[in-house]
Amino acid sequence: MRRRTRGIRVLVAAVGSTLALGLGTASASASASAAGQGTAAVPCPSGFVCLVSTDGMIRATVMEGATGSLLPAMRAAEITNNTSIWYCVTGTTTRGIAPGDTLFGIDGILVRRLAPSYTGTCPA
């Protein structure tokens, strides 16, 4: 009888481990598929301009009112302006980004500098 109880405990432990591993995999898969749904803005704290590189990592944040130079220049995938002022993005091209706006679909834009624009215009 003792051997049988021991066998059942081992079997229950093995089933429990397999179930835990299966749930962990399902959880990871659900997270991965949720991450791939839609295009979301760059996570960016209030009062900052944030850039995400083409490899998906946040590489730079610039505080509102400050100018940021990126050395070496960074290939940006998305840029979020979570400030109350316009910002000029200088690199491959120069463009403005309005307060509270996010630039999407800019894969490969080379960013060298971020500067505030109190007039809302950027030099060419």
Side-chain angles (χ1 to χ4, degrees):
M1 186 78 166
R2 182 170 257 193
R3 288 186 118 181
R4 185 173 177 180
T5 305
R6 186 182 213 185
I8 291 171
R9 285 184 188 162
V10 171
L11 178 60
V12 169
V15 169
S17 297
T18 303
L19 182 58
L21 289 173
L23 290 175
T25 304
S27 235
S29 298
S31 298
S33 63
Q37 290 178 354
T39 304
V42 175
C44 189
S46 182
F48 287 87
V49 178
C50 303
L51 290 85
V52 168
S53 62
T54 53
D55 64 5
M57 297 176 64
I58 294 178
R59 298 288 183 154
T61 56
V62 177
M63 189 184 303
E64 183 169 347
T67 297
S69 294
L70 301 169
L71 298 171
M74 181 184 87
R75 293 215 176 269
E78 297 175 15
I79 304 170
T80 295
N81 181 357
N82 203 7
T83 71
S84 60
I85 56 178
W86 279 80
Y87 260 81
C88 294
V89 179
T90 306
T92 309
T93 61
T94 299
R95 63 174 74 186
I97 180 170
D101 201 6
T102 296
L103 296 177
F104 291 110
I106 57 169
D107 287 337
I109 184 175
L110 195 61
V111 178
R112 290 188 177 93
R113 187 169 187 253
L114 291 164
S117 172
Y118 297 100
T119 62
T121 60
C122 298

